[in-house]
Every structure is written in C-alpha cells, then in structure tokens.
Amino acid sequence: MTTASASAPLATRRADLLARLAQPHQYDLAVIGGGATGLGVALDAAARGFSVVLVDSHDFAKGTSSRATKLVHGGVRYLAQGNIALVREALHERTTLLNNAPHLAQPLPFVMPSYRFWETPFYGIGLMMYDALAGKAGLGATQFLGRDRTLACLPTARTEGLKGGVKYWDGQFDDARLALALARTAASRGALLVNYCPARSLIHEGGKVAGFVCEDSESGEPFTVRARAVVNATGVWVDALRQMDGEAIGRPVKPIVAPSQGVHIVVDREFLPSDHALMVPKTADGRVLFAVPWLGKLILGTTDSPRQDIVREPLPFREEVQFILQESARYLTRAPQLADIRSIWVGLRPLVKPQDDDGDNTKSLSREHTVLTSRTGLVTVTGGKWTTYRAMAEDVLQKCFTAGLLVEKPAGVTNHLPLVGTPTTPVRHRISDAQGLHSYGSDAAAVQALPGADVDLGQGLTAAMVRFAARNEYARTVEDVLARRSRLLFLDARRAIELAPAVAQILREELGTDPGLDAFVALAQQYLHAPV
C-alpha cells in the first residue's frame, strides 16, 4: 500500500497557495473552517477525487480542535446514558483513527480507583459492556484490580479507603498535530488549504450559495472562490455564517449552537508518575474528571460550563479551576496547587440545540453532531467530537449528494488511509512521552535534513523543526509553532515564553514577515496565570 508519507513532504509556501487561490476555478467543494471537522471533510472529498478548497480565518485547529482533553474514546458516559449507537460508532472510529496515525494516536490504559465497595463491580460491569460493543475493535480487556494492583498503576492515588479499581482501555492523541496531518494529507491528494484567510461574504446566484469571498489576513487581498457545494464547518462560530446566508435571502435563522467551555490544567508528571490515566466517573457535582499523562506532563480536567459569549481565547472561570484542583486533591496523595500549574487552557464545545432549522430536509443525526442544509444549499456541520471526525465527514458528503450538490461517489475511502507522517515500521514511543523528533513519524528524516537539526532550542524543539513548520506545515507565527506544531504553550507556558524569541528569529528568516512575537508573549501570559 502506498501511504501519504511515502513521498517528500509538500511545500506550503504561502505565495504559491495564494496564487492557486487567485486562479479562476469552480471547485466541487469549498470548506470554510479548518478544525477537525472541516479538515476531515476536505480530506474525504479529496480522497474521493473531488476538487477541494478549504480556508480558515486563523490557523488550522486554532479553536476547539487543539483544546481537547486529548482522548480518542468511545464515550463511557454515553454508555451510561444508554446511547448505544453513538458509543458503538465512536469505538469503531477510535480504532480507525489509531490505525491511520499511530505516531499521533495510541491506546492508553485508564484506571478508575474505587473507594466504595460497590464501585468496582458496578463500573467494571459497565466497562465490560464497553468492551463488548467494541468487539474486534477493542484495545484491551477490562480488568478488576485489587488495592495493590491499583496502586501499581496509580502510584500516587490516595490510599485512605482505597478498595481496588477497574482498568480499561481507550486512546489518546496529539490533537493539533493530528489536525495538521489531516490538512497535509488532504493537500497530498490535491486539496488547496489556506489558513489566515477568513471568508468575508457568501456569493449567492439565483437564490443559491455559489461560493464566497475570502481575504488574506496578511495583505488584505480578496479572493473569490466558486464551488458547487459550500460547507460551513466553523464549529462554535457556525451561526455567524448561517446568519450571513439567511440575510442574503431575507430569512433570519435561529442559532443552533449553545457553547460550553472545558478547562484543562497541566502540571508536572510527578503528581501521577504513570503511563496509566486516572478516571473518576462521577465527581462531587456529577462530572467526569481525568488525570491524563500527555507529552511528558499531566493534564487535569475537564469542566463543562455554559458560556454565552464566543471568543477565540476564552478565559477559565475561577470556580472551574478550583473545582479541578479540589477534585484532584480527593484522589491524589499530593494535591496540585495554583503554583504548580504549568499551563491552563480553555476550549469551547459547540453543543447543538435540539430545534428545527431554516432549511428543508433538516435533520439532526442520531449522534452528537448535526448536518443540515439551508434553503440556499449551504451545508452546515457542527457538534460531534474529535473521535468521530471521519464519520462526520462522510455524513457531510452524503448530505451534499442528497441535496444534489455533488454527484455521488462511494464512501469508505478514508477507512484505511494512513495520514502524512505515518511510519512504515512499528511505533515505539508513547504519546505520554515528552515531545521530540519521534513526533514527526516518517517525516523525521526530512526534518533532520534541514539547517539547525543539531540546534536544540529547548523542550525537544530544534531550529530545524521550526524551519520545517514554516516550509511544510503552514506555520506563519510564533503561536503557530509553539502552540500547535510544538505543543509547548499547552505544556509549559513559561518555557514557551522563553523560547519564543529564538523561534521568532527563525521565522523571520524563513518567511520574511512579522511572526507576532509580542502577541504570543501576551497570549502565553494568559495560559500561565489562573484566575484567583
């Protein structure tokens, strides 16, 4: 099988991308939004042979898609709710994702510690059902653990009252780098992807959407994009584009997204020095709490708080931080304090309101996401989760076929499509290990061939990696490199600030533009300080 990683990495020189964008052409499919969903749609369509263009107002995965809890999971909580169909689909997609990008997504064992006599059998039986739903897609059998084996897996778990535990398997991943792999794989199949190019207006002809006008954020130059099908995959921002679409035909639309924010706190691994994750299925207020080893650190989270405003960089609420720290103290022998936080970040989830839309044939699918078509033919997709991005993409394309926007082509082409960087030999590193050259998979040799491969900037980041980000990974700013090509901003904001000037200098050499050093330092300060 020929993989997407078999050839040399494609260049992502912005002048070339914009020159392609400027060419008069009618695409089969135009996608607005470069998060997990939009990138998944672009890849699926390109893999089926459609001509595809995708634009994003900021960097790929700048929003929700780089701020996940880093779990590739079937959804234990949905099993408890009786949503069997959702869990079964997610478990299937979990394995597909792990197989298609093993350098970025891998199995991870979880342990639920039990402090009441009934918890081990109660949760254990439920997780055995989880295994049964996974079938051949299972990652490992659920195990009932005694006290000693639980502590062997979770050496810093609170010992007082510990009865035992349950071990089960799910997955974890590097979300931003996986999004980047989707973008690069789509590009390898002929798709044109341009970040920092917001869609400013929709084009309507005869009452139907026929494309959009976008603008290069760096130069202000406008570009007209025409397409047979236009997909709105802007996540929590989909209603803004839907409203723009409705106003064009004099029909206001009702919002369909109710945003919710999740806060994550990152501390050093010494608080849980293990390659097992800790999972609390029901905290004091009924929420789920995770302690997940990731890229050399430990992620604690997440919260689920309604939010009325939709901002690019949401701030955590004081009570959310207190909740995570207090609940962590209930399960860890040494409780993290405010001073122990290395980074704190917030993601907005696009929760879908259950209501009718403005279009005909509107349908909320029997899963977390919704795909609908407006009267003008604008296809909107929102909701869902990272694990099921590929299935969501197939649903979007099926909607395009059903609406008569595209001629149908068979689905399933991404089931066994290795993403860019997928190694041809077994992966030996773990996602819980610190970042390094191994994170690039089969692209490691291309990275090492660039100037600065022996110049260690710190935290596993070399000068060559920064050059690779600029030349082959669409990076334009210091934030692009330190937040999403490297994940340092999400791991240790203070160290990210320290490395930022060196990264900025390399980007100036590579791009000849202002890499936004001051803006990044201001942003990193936000990730460094929790509200008190």
Side-chain angles (χ1 to χ4, degrees):
M1 177 187 295
T2 300
T3 69
S5 58
S7 57
L10 291 177
T12 57
R13 186 170 176 267
R14 189 168 183 85
D16 295 338
L17 300 177
L18 294 177
R20 285 179 62 189
L21 193 63
Q23 293 175 3
H25 180 72
Q26 184 180 44
Y27 292 89
D28 295 320
L29 183 73
V31 182
I32 303 173
T37 307
L39 293 170
V41 171
L43 174 56
D44 194 333
R48 296 197 209 191
F50 291 110
S51 60
V52 179
V53 61
L54 178 148
V55 299
D56 192 275
S57 60
H58 294 73
D59 188 26
F60 304 131
K62 157 74 174 177
T64 306
S65 295
S66 62
R67 303 158 192 262
T69 312
K70 319 308 179 193
L71 302 181
V72 182
H73 61 106
V76 174
R77 76 177 94 175
Y78 306 118
L79 181 63
Q81 297 169 0
N83 198 334
I84 303 300
L86 172 60
V87 175
R88 182 182 287 113
E89 178 189 59
L91 286 169
H92 170 78
E93 292 300 324
R94 176 189 69 178
T95 301
T96 300
L97 197 161
L98 267 57
N99 288 338
N100 287 344
H103 59 307
L104 298 173
Q106 298 169 0
L108 177 71
F110 288 73
V111 174
M112 291 182 183
S114 302
Y115 292 91
R116 298 188 180 104
F117 72 91
W118 56 268
E119 289 179 324
T120 295
F122 179 78
Y123 291 120
I125 292 172
L127 287 167
M128 291 175 70
M129 294 175 58
Y130 196 59
D131 292 347
L133 285 174
K136 293 181 180 179
L139 303 178
T142 293
Q143 299 176 349
F144 292 79
L145 306 180
R147 186 177 188 276
D148 290 345
R149 289 187 64 196
T150 300
L151 288 174
C153 296
L154 304 175
T156 53
R158 182 169 61 85
T159 58
E160 181 183 357
L162 181 64
K163 310 296 184 187
V166 182
K167 178 179 176 178
Y168 74 101
W169 289 82
D170 250 325
Q172 72 172 158
F173 72 135
D174 185 335
D175 51 2
R177 287 205 64 82
L178 185 66
L180 190 62
L182 291 175
R184 296 176 63 213
T185 308
S188 75
R189 295 300 181 110
L192 171 61
L193 300 98
V194 186
N195 53 356
Y196 295 104
C197 194
R200 296 301 190 191
S201 61
L202 293 172
I203 298 172
H204 291 85
E205 295 176 350
K208 297 295 182 180
V209 65
F212 54 82
V213 175
C214 55
E215 178 183 282
D216 175 19
S217 293
E218 296 182 11
S219 67
E221 182 181 359
F223 297 88
T224 298
V225 175
R226 294 186 174 276
R228 295 177 176 85
V230 178
V231 174
N232 174 13
T234 53
V236 292
W237 293 275
V238 293
D239 285 329
L241 201 60
R242 291 177 63 247
Q243 189 64 40
M244 186 188 301
D245 180 51
E247 289 174 352
I249 59 172
R251 186 180 177 89
V253 300
K254 298 177 182 178
I256 61 172
V257 170
S260 169
Q261 78 172 24
V263 173
H264 302 81
I265 288 173
V266 176
V267 296
D268 290 333
R269 281 283 288 278
E270 65 189 49
F271 289 97
L272 184 60
S274 172
D275 288 319
H276 290 69
L278 183 154
M279 192 271 208
V280 178
K282 192 173 183 179
T283 57
D285 69 349
R287 285 182 281 191
V288 175
L289 178 74
F290 292 101
V292 180
W294 186 68
L295 300 182
K297 297 291 185 180
L298 184 71
I299 298 176
L300 303 173
T302 176
T303 59
D304 190 3
S305 306
R307 181 147 193 156
Q308 300 304 315
D309 58 329
I310 303 177
V311 294
R312 286 286 165 186
E313 289 291 346
L315 294 170
F317 302 133
R318 179 172 177 269
E319 55 270 24
E320 291 177 305
V321 176
Q322 290 178 333
F323 166 78
I324 293 174
L325 294 178
Q326 290 170 359
E327 287 299 312
S328 298
R330 289 163 52 89
Y331 294 94
L332 299 175
T333 53
R334 180 185 165 203
Q337 306 295 318
L338 283 173
D340 297 311
I341 296 176
R342 297 290 177 247
S343 185
I344 181 168
W345 33 276
V346 184
L348 295 181
R349 304 182 184 98
L351 303 183
V352 181
K353 298 177 180 179
Q355 63 180 48
D356 293 334
D357 185 63
D358 61 311
D360 49 8
N361 197 27
T362 298
K363 183 180 179 184
S364 179
L365 305 181
S366 59
R367 61 197 80 183
E368 274 194 288
H369 66 275
T370 292
V371 185
L372 51 89
T373 309
S374 74
R375 279 175 162 71
T376 71
L378 177 68
V379 177
T380 293
V381 54
T382 194
K385 59 181 180 179
W386 244 117
T387 305
T388 56
Y389 84 88
R390 198 198 64 82
M392 292 169 64
E394 290 192 338
D395 287 345
V396 170
L397 287 180
Q398 186 57 52
K399 178 68 75 172
C400 292
F401 303 149
T402 302
L405 302 173
L406 296 174
V407 176
E408 186 164 357
K409 295 184 180 183
V413 295
T414 57
N415 263 317
H416 306 287
L417 178 61
L419 301 185
V420 161
T422 296
T424 56
T425 57
V427 174
R428 296 183 179 179
H429 79 280
R430 293 171 295 202
I431 301 297
S432 57
D433 296 339
Q435 298 180 104
L437 188 62
H438 57 260
S439 303
Y440 291 83
S442 64
D443 282 332
V447 174
Q448 287 296 86
L450 294 177
D454 57 348
V455 179
D456 183 12
L457 303 179
Q459 302 298 304
L461 182 67
T462 67
M465 292 175 183
V466 179
R467 296 188 191 282
F468 188 78
R471 297 182 188 186
N472 303 100
E473 295 182 326
Y474 298 92
R476 302 298 298 170
T477 69
V478 175
E479 181 192 337
D480 295 346
V481 173
L482 290 177
R484 289 171 292 278
R485 278 65 179 174
S486 162
R487 307 311 309 279
L488 188 54
L489 177 62
F490 287 77
L491 296 166
D492 191 330
R494 181 172 283 106
R495 290 292 287 134
I497 292 173
E498 293 171 357
L499 268 60
V503 171
Q505 180 56 39
I506 296 170
L507 290 178
R508 287 189 193 96
E509 296 172 5
E510 289 290 325
L511 305 175
T513 58
D514 178 7
L517 175 59
D518 292 342
F520 174 76
V521 171
L523 174 65
Q525 291 288 346
Q526 178 176 314
Y527 282 63
L528 185 59
H529 299 294
V532 294

